[in-house]
Each structure stands twice: as C-alpha cells, then as structure tokens.
C-alpha cells in the first residue's frame, strides 16, 4: 500500500535509550518516500508556471478546484469505510481533545493579545490567526500521503471543533475590530 500507518513511520515497539527511557525512532525513508510525490507535484506546478506552460492566472482556478472539489471528494471517500468501534472511539477522542485545545488556543490568544499590546482595532483578526490553523490546503494531503484514508478520516475530525468554535467566535472577534 502506498499509504502507511503511524506504526510504519515510527518504530514500534519503542526501544530504550541509554538511560532506559522509551524512545521513538522516526523512519525517514518512509517519510521521504510518501512525501516525495507531493513535493514532485509542487515542483511540477512551479516548473509549469515558470516555463509558462500554465499561466500564472491559472493558479486561482486550480486552487479553487483543489479546495472546493478535489479535497472534499477525497475526504468523503476516506469516510466511506465499514463501521468500527475503534474508529468511533478515536473520532470522539479527537473531537473532544481538539475542542479543549482550540478553546484554550482562543483564550490564550485573547490573553496574549493584551499582553503584547495588540491594538484593539486589529485584536480580533490577530486572535483568529493565532488560535486557528489552516490544515486544508497542505495538511490533509500530507496526512493522506502518510496515513492513508483512515488517517485522513480521523484528521478531518479535527475540523469539527475548528468549524464550530471558529465560526461561532468570528462574529464576536471581528465585531471588535475595525479591519
């Protein structure tokens, strides 16, 4: 299979280091093999624009196609798997942990924005940028390349709390900003 599971990327069982502590060893050849295809595609895109094979103006439609059509289709396909109690438990854990983490990120960004004296006019935008990540454009393809359909399905569960928290906090935060 071209896609791997975390146990194939990280050496299991854990070995012990010189002090007897458990250590995780990263299998770099697996990472290079699976991410190599993504970097080749990036290089091909760069080369095709640089050589004027594809016009620079085509980047916006290509990005729109990737984000609005291809990526949702890949995630939808990744979710099409037989019911598994383990997958359900993992999904609930991922949603719960990420809900706590993103709420903490949002609270800390509000606190930090005051500590570093971000102007009130741009504080809301600053907090949103600090608290939330953009995992769609490259995050999901990397997860899919490394962990396959099941890993992508689990990674897409992170977007549940992200969307709920972000879209419920955006009106409040942006109403405080002039920009």
């Amino acid at each position: 299979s071209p896609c791997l599971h975390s146990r194939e990327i990280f050496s299991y069982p854990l070995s012990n280091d010189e002090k007897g502590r458990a250590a995780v060893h990263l299998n770099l050849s697996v990472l290079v093999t699976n991410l190599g295809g993504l970097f080749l595609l990036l290089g091909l895109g760069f080369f095709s624009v640089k050589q004027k094979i594809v016009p620079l103006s085509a980047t916006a439609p290509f990005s729109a196609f990737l984000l609005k059509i291809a990526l949702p289709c890949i995630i939808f396909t990744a979710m099409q798997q037989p019911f598994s109690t383990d997958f359900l438990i993992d999904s609930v854990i991922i949603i719960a942990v990420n809900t706590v983490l993103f709420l903490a990120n949002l609270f800390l960004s509000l606190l930090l924005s005051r500590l570093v004296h971000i102007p009130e006019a741009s504080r809301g935008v600053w907090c949103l940028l600090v608290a939330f990540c953009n995992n769609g454009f490259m995050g999901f393809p990397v997860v899919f390349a490394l962990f396959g359909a099941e890993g992508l399905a689990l990674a897409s569960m992170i977007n549940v709390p992200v969307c709920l928290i972000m879209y419920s906090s955006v009106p409040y935060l942006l109403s405080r900003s002039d920009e």
Side-chain angles (χ1 to χ4, degrees), residues 70-133:
L71 187 60
C73 288
I74 291 171
I75 292 172
F76 181 77
T77 303
M79 292 291 194
Q80 303 301 311
Q81 47 187 303
F83 177 78
S84 162
T85 307
D86 290 338
F87 182 81
L88 179 64
I89 291 169
D90 289 344
S91 298
V92 169
I93 290 170
I94 286 171
I95 290 171
V97 166
N98 280 286
T99 299
V100 171
L101 289 175
F102 281 108
L103 284 172
N105 281 349
L106 190 58
F107 175 74
L108 288 173
S109 72
L110 288 165
L111 181 66
L112 190 60
S113 70
R114 293 181 189 276
L115 290 174
V116 296
H117 306 292
I118 300 297
E120 186 70 31
S122 58
R123 189 172 289 167
V125 173
W126 189 89
C127 289
L128 288 171
L129 291 173
V130 170
F132 297 103
C133 61

Side-chain angles (χ1 to χ4, degrees), residues 26-72:
L26 187 62
N27 188 343
L28 288 178
S29 65
V30 173
L31 286 174
V32 169
T33 301
N34 284 289
L35 292 179
L38 286 175
F39 284 108
L40 285 174
L41 288 173
L42 286 170
L44 180 63
F46 177 79
F47 176 79
S48 63
V49 170
K50 196 75 170 164
Q51 296 300 313
K52 298 185 184 339
I53 298 168
V54 175
L56 186 59
S57 62
T59 56
F62 278 137
S63 294
F65 173 77
L66 286 173
L67 289 175
K68 295 178 180 177
I69 297 171
L71 187 60

